[in-house]
CSV table of all heavy atoms in Angstrom, one decimal:
chain,number,residue,atom,x,y,z
X,1,PRO,N,22.8,-12.6,5.0
X,1,PRO,CA,22.9,-11.9,6.3
X,1,PRO,C,23.0,-10.4,6.2
X,1,PRO,O,22.7,-9.7,7.1
X,1,PRO,CB,24.1,-12.5,6.9
X,1,PRO,CG,24.9,-13.1,5.8
X,1,PRO,CD,23.9,-13.5,4.8
X,2,ASN,N,23.5,-9.9,5.1
X,2,ASN,CA,23.7,-8.5,4.9
X,2,ASN,C,22.8,-8.0,3.8
X,2,ASN,O,23.3,-7.7,2.7
X,2,ASN,CB,25.2,-8.2,4.6
X,2,ASN,CG,26.1,-8.6,5.7
X,2,ASN,OD1,25.8,-8.3,6.9
X,2,ASN,ND2,27.1,-9.4,5.4
X,3,PHE,N,21.5,-7.8,4.1
X,3,PHE,CA,20.6,-7.5,3.1
X,3,PHE,C,20.1,-6.0,3.2
X,3,PHE,O,19.0,-5.6,2.8
X,3,PHE,CB,19.3,-8.4,3.1
X,3,PHE,CG,18.6,-8.5,1.8
X,3,PHE,CD1,19.1,-9.2,0.8
X,3,PHE,CD2,17.3,-7.9,1.7
X,3,PHE,CE1,18.5,-9.3,-0.4
X,3,PHE,CE2,16.7,-8.0,0.5
X,3,PHE,CZ,17.2,-8.7,-0.6
X,4,GLY,N,21.1,-5.2,3.7
X,4,GLY,CA,20.8,-3.8,3.7
X,4,GLY,C,19.8,-3.3,4.7
X,4,GLY,O,19.6,-4.0,5.7
X,5,LYS,N,19.2,-2.2,4.4
X,5,LYS,CA,18.3,-1.5,5.3
X,5,LYS,C,16.9,-1.6,4.6
X,5,LYS,O,16.7,-1.1,3.5
X,5,LYS,CB,18.7,-0.1,5.6
X,5,LYS,CG,17.7,0.7,6.4
X,5,LYS,CD,18.2,2.2,6.6
X,5,LYS,CE,17.1,3.0,7.4
X,5,LYS,NZ,17.6,4.4,7.6
X,6,TYR,N,15.9,-2.1,5.3
X,6,TYR,CA,14.5,-2.1,4.8
X,6,TYR,C,14.0,-0.6,4.9
X,6,TYR,O,14.0,0.0,5.9
X,6,TYR,CB,13.6,-3.0,5.6
X,6,TYR,CG,12.1,-2.7,5.3
X,6,TYR,CD1,11.6,-3.1,4.1
X,6,TYR,CD2,11.3,-2.1,6.2
X,6,TYR,CE1,10.3,-2.8,3.8
X,6,TYR,CE2,10.0,-1.8,5.9
X,6,TYR,CZ,9.5,-2.2,4.7
X,6,TYR,OH,8.1,-1.9,4.4
X,7,ILE,N,13.6,-0.1,3.7
X,7,ILE,CA,13.1,1.3,3.6
X,7,ILE,C,11.5,1.3,3.6
X,7,ILE,O,10.9,2.0,4.5
X,7,ILE,CB,13.6,1.9,2.3
X,7,ILE,CG1,15.1,2.0,2.3
X,7,ILE,CG2,13.0,3.4,2.2
X,7,ILE,CD1,15.7,2.9,3.4
X,8,ILE,N,10.9,0.6,2.7
X,8,ILE,CA,9.5,0.7,2.5
X,8,ILE,C,9.0,-0.4,1.6
X,8,ILE,O,9.8,-1.0,0.8
X,8,ILE,CB,9.1,2.1,2.0
X,8,ILE,CG1,7.6,2.4,2.3
X,8,ILE,CG2,9.4,2.2,0.5
X,8,ILE,CD1,7.3,3.9,2.1
X,9,GLY,N,7.7,-0.7,1.6
X,9,GLY,CA,7.1,-1.5,0.6
X,9,GLY,C,6.5,-2.8,1.1
X,9,GLY,O,6.0,-3.6,0.3
X,10,LEU,N,6.6,-3.1,2.4
X,10,LEU,CA,5.9,-4.3,3.0
X,10,LEU,C,4.6,-3.8,3.6
X,10,LEU,O,4.6,-2.9,4.4
X,10,LEU,CB,6.8,-5.0,4.0
X,10,LEU,CG,8.0,-5.7,3.5
X,10,LEU,CD1,8.8,-6.3,4.6
X,10,LEU,CD2,7.6,-6.9,2.6
X,11,PRO,N,3.5,-4.4,3.2
X,11,PRO,CA,2.2,-4.0,3.8
X,11,PRO,C,2.2,-4.1,5.4
X,11,PRO,O,2.7,-5.0,5.9
X,11,PRO,CB,1.2,-5.0,3.2
X,11,PRO,CG,1.8,-5.5,2.0
X,11,PRO,CD,3.3,-5.5,2.2
X,12,ASN,N,1.7,-3.0,6.0
X,12,ASN,CA,1.5,-3.0,7.5
X,12,ASN,C,2.9,-2.9,8.2
X,12,ASN,O,2.9,-3.1,9.4
X,12,ASN,CB,0.7,-4.2,8.0
X,12,ASN,CG,-0.7,-4.3,7.3
X,12,ASN,OD1,-1.3,-3.2,7.2
X,12,ASN,ND2,-1.0,-5.5,6.9
X,13,VAL,N,3.9,-2.6,7.5
X,13,VAL,CA,5.3,-2.5,8.1
X,13,VAL,C,5.7,-1.0,8.0
X,13,VAL,O,6.1,-0.6,6.9
X,13,VAL,CB,6.3,-3.4,7.6
X,13,VAL,CG1,7.7,-3.2,8.3
X,13,VAL,CG2,5.9,-4.8,7.7
X,14,ASN,N,5.5,-0.2,9.0
X,14,ASN,CA,5.7,1.2,8.9
X,14,ASN,C,7.1,1.7,9.4
X,14,ASN,O,7.5,2.8,9.3
X,14,ASN,CB,4.6,1.9,9.7
X,14,ASN,CG,3.3,1.7,9.1
X,14,ASN,OD1,3.1,1.6,7.9
X,14,ASN,ND2,2.3,1.4,10.0
X,15,LEU,N,7.8,0.8,10.0
X,15,LEU,CA,9.2,1.1,10.6
X,15,LEU,C,10.2,0.7,9.6
X,15,LEU,O,10.0,-0.2,8.7
X,15,LEU,CB,9.4,0.4,11.9
X,15,LEU,CG,8.5,0.8,13.1
X,15,LEU,CD1,8.8,-0.1,14.3
X,15,LEU,CD2,8.6,2.2,13.4
X,16,GLN,N,11.4,1.4,9.6
X,16,GLN,CA,12.6,1.0,8.9
X,16,GLN,C,13.5,0.2,9.7
X,16,GLN,O,13.6,0.5,10.9
X,16,GLN,CB,13.3,2.2,8.3
X,16,GLN,CG,12.4,3.0,7.3
X,16,GLN,CD,13.1,4.2,6.7
X,16,GLN,OE1,14.3,4.5,7.1
X,16,GLN,NE2,12.5,4.7,5.6
X,17,TYR,N,14.1,-0.8,9.1
X,17,TYR,CA,15.0,-1.7,9.9
X,17,TYR,C,16.4,-1.8,9.2
X,17,TYR,O,16.5,-2.0,8.0
X,17,TYR,CB,14.4,-3.1,9.9
X,17,TYR,CG,13.2,-3.2,10.7
X,17,TYR,CD1,11.9,-3.1,10.1
X,17,TYR,CD2,13.2,-3.5,12.1
X,17,TYR,CE1,10.7,-3.2,10.8
X,17,TYR,CE2,12.0,-3.6,12.8
X,17,TYR,CZ,10.8,-3.4,12.2
X,17,TYR,OH,9.6,-3.5,12.9
X,18,ALA,N,17.4,-1.6,10.0
X,18,ALA,CA,18.8,-1.6,9.5
X,18,ALA,C,19.4,-3.0,9.6
X,18,ALA,O,19.0,-3.7,10.5
X,18,ALA,CB,19.6,-0.5,10.2
X,19,GLU,N,20.4,-3.3,8.8
X,19,GLU,CA,21.2,-4.5,8.9
X,19,GLU,C,20.3,-5.7,9.0
X,19,GLU,O,20.5,-6.6,10.0
X,19,GLU,CB,22.1,-4.4,10.1
X,19,GLU,CG,23.1,-3.3,10.1
X,19,GLU,CD,23.9,-3.1,11.3
X,19,GLU,OE1,23.8,-4.0,12.2
X,19,GLU,OE2,24.7,-2.2,11.5
X,20,ILE,N,19.4,-5.9,8.1
X,20,ILE,CA,18.5,-7.0,8.2
X,20,ILE,C,19.1,-8.3,7.6
X,20,ILE,O,20.0,-8.2,6.8
X,20,ILE,CB,17.1,-6.7,7.5
X,20,ILE,CG1,17.3,-6.6,6.0
X,20,ILE,CG2,16.5,-5.4,8.0
X,20,ILE,CD1,16.0,-6.6,5.2
X,21,THR,N,18.4,-9.4,7.9
X,21,THR,CA,18.7,-10.7,7.3
X,21,THR,C,17.6,-11.1,6.4
X,21,THR,O,16.4,-11.0,6.9
X,21,THR,CB,19.0,-11.7,8.4
X,21,THR,OG1,20.2,-11.3,9.1
X,21,THR,CG2,19.3,-13.1,7.7
X,22,CYS,N,17.8,-11.6,5.2
X,22,CYS,CA,16.8,-12.1,4.4
X,22,CYS,C,16.9,-13.7,4.3
X,22,CYS,O,17.9,-14.2,3.9
X,22,CYS,CB,16.9,-11.6,2.9
X,22,CYS,SG,15.8,-12.3,1.7
X,23,GLY,N,15.9,-14.3,4.9
X,23,GLY,CA,15.9,-15.8,4.8
X,23,GLY,C,15.1,-16.2,3.5
X,23,GLY,O,14.2,-15.6,3.0
X,24,ILE,N,15.5,-17.4,3.0
X,24,ILE,CA,14.9,-17.9,1.8
X,24,ILE,C,14.4,-19.3,2.0
X,24,ILE,O,15.2,-20.2,2.4
X,24,ILE,CB,16.0,-17.9,0.6
X,24,ILE,CG1,16.6,-16.5,0.4
X,24,ILE,CG2,15.3,-18.4,-0.7
X,24,ILE,CD1,17.7,-16.5,-0.5
X,25,SER,N,13.1,-19.5,1.9
X,25,SER,CA,12.5,-20.9,2.0
X,25,SER,C,12.0,-21.2,0.6
X,25,SER,O,12.2,-20.5,-0.4
X,25,SER,CB,11.4,-20.9,3.0
X,25,SER,OG,10.2,-20.2,2.5
X,26,ASP,N,11.4,-22.4,0.5
X,26,ASP,CA,10.9,-22.8,-0.8
X,26,ASP,C,9.7,-21.9,-1.3
X,26,ASP,O,9.5,-21.8,-2.5
X,26,ASP,CB,10.3,-24.2,-0.7
X,26,ASP,CG,11.4,-25.3,-0.5
X,26,ASP,OD1,12.6,-25.0,-1.0
X,26,ASP,OD2,11.2,-26.3,0.1
X,27,GLU,N,9.1,-21.2,-0.3
X,27,GLU,CA,7.9,-20.4,-0.7
X,27,GLU,C,8.0,-18.9,-0.4
X,27,GLU,O,7.3,-18.1,-1.0
X,27,GLU,CB,6.7,-21.0,0.0
X,27,GLU,CG,6.3,-22.4,-0.4
X,27,GLU,CD,5.1,-22.9,0.3
X,27,GLU,OE1,4.7,-22.2,1.3
X,27,GLU,OE2,4.6,-24.0,-0.1
X,28,LEU,N,8.9,-18.6,0.5
X,28,LEU,CA,8.9,-17.2,1.0
X,28,LEU,C,10.3,-16.6,1.1
X,28,LEU,O,11.3,-17.3,1.2
X,28,LEU,CB,8.3,-17.1,2.4
X,28,LEU,CG,6.9,-17.6,2.7
X,28,LEU,CD1,6.6,-17.6,4.2
X,28,LEU,CD2,5.9,-16.7,2.0
X,29,LEU,N,10.4,-15.2,0.9
X,29,LEU,CA,11.5,-14.4,1.4
X,29,LEU,C,11.1,-13.9,2.8
X,29,LEU,O,10.0,-13.3,2.9
X,29,LEU,CB,11.8,-13.3,0.5
X,29,LEU,CG,12.2,-13.6,-1.0
X,29,LEU,CD1,12.5,-12.3,-1.7
X,29,LEU,CD2,13.4,-14.5,-1.0
X,30,ILE,N,11.9,-14.2,3.8
X,30,ILE,CA,11.6,-13.9,5.2
X,30,ILE,C,12.6,-12.8,5.7
X,30,ILE,O,13.8,-13.0,5.6
X,30,ILE,CB,11.7,-15.1,6.0
X,30,ILE,CG1,10.8,-16.2,5.4
X,30,ILE,CG2,11.3,-14.8,7.5
X,30,ILE,CD1,11.3,-17.6,5.7
X,31,PHE,N,12.0,-11.7,6.3
X,31,PHE,CA,12.9,-10.6,6.7
X,31,PHE,C,13.0,-10.5,8.2
X,31,PHE,O,12.0,-10.5,8.9
X,31,PHE,CB,12.4,-9.3,6.1
X,31,PHE,CG,12.3,-9.4,4.6
X,31,PHE,CD1,11.1,-9.4,3.9
X,31,PHE,CD2,13.4,-9.5,3.8
X,31,PHE,CE1,11.0,-9.5,2.5
X,31,PHE,CE2,13.4,-9.6,2.4
X,31,PHE,CZ,12.1,-9.6,1.8
X,32,ILE,N,14.2,-10.5,8.7
X,32,ILE,CA,14.5,-10.5,10.1
X,32,ILE,C,15.3,-9.3,10.5
X,32,ILE,O,16.3,-8.9,9.8
X,32,ILE,CB,15.3,-11.8,10.5
X,32,ILE,CG1,14.7,-13.0,10.0
X,32,ILE,CG2,15.4,-11.8,12.1
X,32,ILE,CD1,13.3,-13.3,10.5
X,33,SER,N,14.9,-8.6,11.5
X,33,SER,CA,15.6,-7.4,12.0
X,33,SER,C,16.9,-7.7,12.6
X,33,SER,O,17.2,-8.9,12.9
X,33,SER,CB,14.7,-6.6,12.9
X,33,SER,OG,14.6,-7.2,14.2
X,34,ASN,N,17.7,-6.7,12.9
X,34,ASN,CA,19.0,-6.9,13.5
X,34,ASN,C,18.9,-7.3,15.0
X,34,ASN,O,19.9,-7.6,15.7
X,34,ASN,CB,19.9,-5.7,13.4
X,34,ASN,CG,19.3,-4.4,14.0
X,34,ASN,OD1,18.2,-4.4,14.5
X,34,ASN,ND2,20.1,-3.3,13.8
X,35,THR,N,17.6,-7.3,15.5
X,35,THR,CA,17.4,-7.7,16.9
X,35,THR,C,16.8,-9.2,16.9
X,35,THR,O,16.4,-9.7,17.9
X,35,THR,CB,16.4,-6.8,17.6
X,35,THR,OG1,15.2,-6.7,16.9
X,35,THR,CG2,17.0,-5.4,17.8
X,36,GLY,N,16.8,-9.8,15.7
X,36,GLY,CA,16.4,-11.2,15.6
X,36,GLY,C,14.9,-11.4,15.5
X,36,GLY,O,14.4,-12.5,15.7
X,37,ASN,N,14.1,-10.3,15.2
X,37,ASN,CA,12.7,-10.4,15.1
X,37,ASN,C,12.2,-10.4,13.7
X,37,ASN,O,12.6,-9.7,12.8
X,37,ASN,CB,12.0,-9.2,15.9
X,37,ASN,CG,12.3,-9.3,17.3
X,37,ASN,OD1,12.2,-10.3,18.0
X,37,ASN,ND2,12.7,-8.1,17.9
X,38,TYR,N,11.2,-11.3,13.4
X,38,TYR,CA,10.6,-11.4,12.1
X,38,TYR,C,9.7,-10.1,11.9
X,38,TYR,O,9.0,-9.7,12.9
X,38,TYR,CB,9.7,-12.6,12.0
X,38,TYR,CG,8.6,-12.5,11.0
X,38,TYR,CD1,8.9,-13.0,9.7
X,38,TYR,CD2,7.4,-12.1,11.3
X,38,TYR,CE1,7.9,-12.9,8.7
X,38,TYR,CE2,6.4,-12.0,10.3
X,38,TYR,CZ,6.6,-12.4,9.0
X,38,TYR,OH,5.7,-12.3,8.1
X,39,PHE,N,9.8,-9.5,10.7
X,39,PHE,CA,8.9,-8.3,10.5
X,39,PHE,C,8.2,-8.3,9.2
X,39,PHE,O,7.3,-7.5,8.9
X,39,PHE,CB,9.7,-7.0,10.7
X,39,PHE,CG,10.7,-6.7,9.6
X,39,PHE,CD1,10.4,-6.1,8.4
X,39,PHE,CD2,12.0,-7.1,9.8
X,39,PHE,CE1,11.3,-5.8,7.5
X,39,PHE,CE2,13.0,-6.9,8.8
X,39,PHE,CZ,12.6,-6.2,7.7
X,40,GLY,N,8.4,-9.3,8.4
X,40,GLY,CA,7.7,-9.4,7.1
X,40,GLY,C,8.2,-10.5,6.2
X,40,GLY,O,9.2,-11.1,6.4
X,41,HIS,N,7.4,-10.7,5.1
X,41,HIS,CA,7.8,-11.7,4.1
X,41,HIS,C,7.2,-11.4,2.8
X,41,HIS,O,6.3,-10.6,2.7
X,41,HIS,CB,7.4,-13.1,4.6
X,41,HIS,CG,5.9,-13.3,4.5
X,41,HIS,ND1,5.1,-13.1,5.7
X,41,HIS,CD2,5.0,-13.7,3.6
X,41,HIS,CE1,3.8,-13.3,5.4
X,41,HIS,NE2,3.7,-13.7,4.1
X,42,ILE,N,7.7,-12.0,1.7
X,42,ILE,CA,7.2,-11.9,0.4
X,42,ILE,C,7.1,-13.3,-0.2
X,42,ILE,O,8.1,-14.0,-0.2
X,42,ILE,CB,8.1,-11.0,-0.5
X,42,ILE,CG1,8.2,-9.6,0.0
X,42,ILE,CG2,7.6,-11.1,-2.0
X,42,ILE,CD1,9.2,-8.7,-0.8
X,43,PRO,N,5.9,-13.7,-0.7
X,43,PRO,CA,5.8,-15.0,-1.4
X,43,PRO,C,6.6,-15.0,-2.6
X,43,PRO,O,6.5,-14.1,-3.5
X,43,PRO,CB,4.3,-15.1,-1.6
X,43,PRO,CG,3.6,-14.1,-0.7
X,43,PRO,CD,4.6,-13.0,-0.6
X,44,ILE,N,7.4,-16.0,-2.8
X,44,ILE,CA,8.3,-16.1,-3.9
X,44,ILE,C,7.6,-16.1,-5.3
X,44,ILE,O,7.9,-15.5,-6.2
X,44,ILE,CB,9.3,-17.3,-3.8
X,44,ILE,CG1,10.3,-17.0,-2.7
X,44,ILE,CG2,10.0,-17.6,-5.1
X,44,ILE,CD1,11.2,-18.1,-2.4
X,45,ASN,N,6.4,-16.9,-5.3
X,45,ASN,CA,5.7,-17.0,-6.5
X,45,ASN,C,4.9,-15.7,-6.9
X,45,ASN,O,4.3,-15.7,-8.0
X,45,ASN,CB,4.7,-18.2,-6.5
X,45,ASN,CG,3.7,-18.0,-5.4
X,45,ASN,OD1,3.5,-17.0,-4.8
X,45,ASN,ND2,2.9,-19.1,-5.2
X,46,SER,N,5.0,-14.7,-6.1
X,46,SER,CA,4.3,-13.4,-6.4
X,46,SER,C,5.2,-12.4,-7.0
X,46,SER,O,4.8,-11.3,-7.4
X,46,SER,CB,3.6,-12.9,-5.1
X,46,SER,OG,4.6,-12.4,-4.2
X,47,ILE,N,6.5,-12.7,-7.0
X,47,ILE,CA,7.6,-11.8,-7.5
X,47,ILE,C,7.6,-11.7,-9.0
X,47,ILE,O,7.7,-12.7,-9.7
X,47,ILE,CB,9.0,-12.2,-6.9
X,47,ILE,CG1,9.0,-12.1,-5.4
X,47,ILE,CG2,10.0,-11.2,-7.5
X,47,ILE,CD1,10.2,-12.6,-4.8
């Protein structure tokens, strides 16, 4: 729940988001803004 502030590095995401939540599924890291909106993800097997 306290995954800091997103700065940069997700394709096509040009805004910065504070106080984000990082969700973890079997395949993805999922990033949610402090307003409860999804804004990006990273495939786990690509890390």
Side-chain angles (χ1 to χ4, degrees):
N2 300 309
F3 206 70
K5 175 183 179 181
Y6 165 73
I7 299 295
I8 201 167
L10 289 174
N12 304 316
V13 181
N14 299 317
L15 298 176
Q16 295 186 350
Y17 294 92
E19 300 177 6
I20 71 166
T21 296
C22 174
I24 304 170
S25 74
D26 291 331
E27 298 179 349
L28 300 172
L29 295 183
I30 305 150
F31 303 110
I32 311 297
S33 70
N34 58 0
T35 56
N37 295 313
Y38 160 88
F39 68 89
H41 68 267
I42 296 176
I44 289 175
N45 63 5
S46 71
I47 297 173

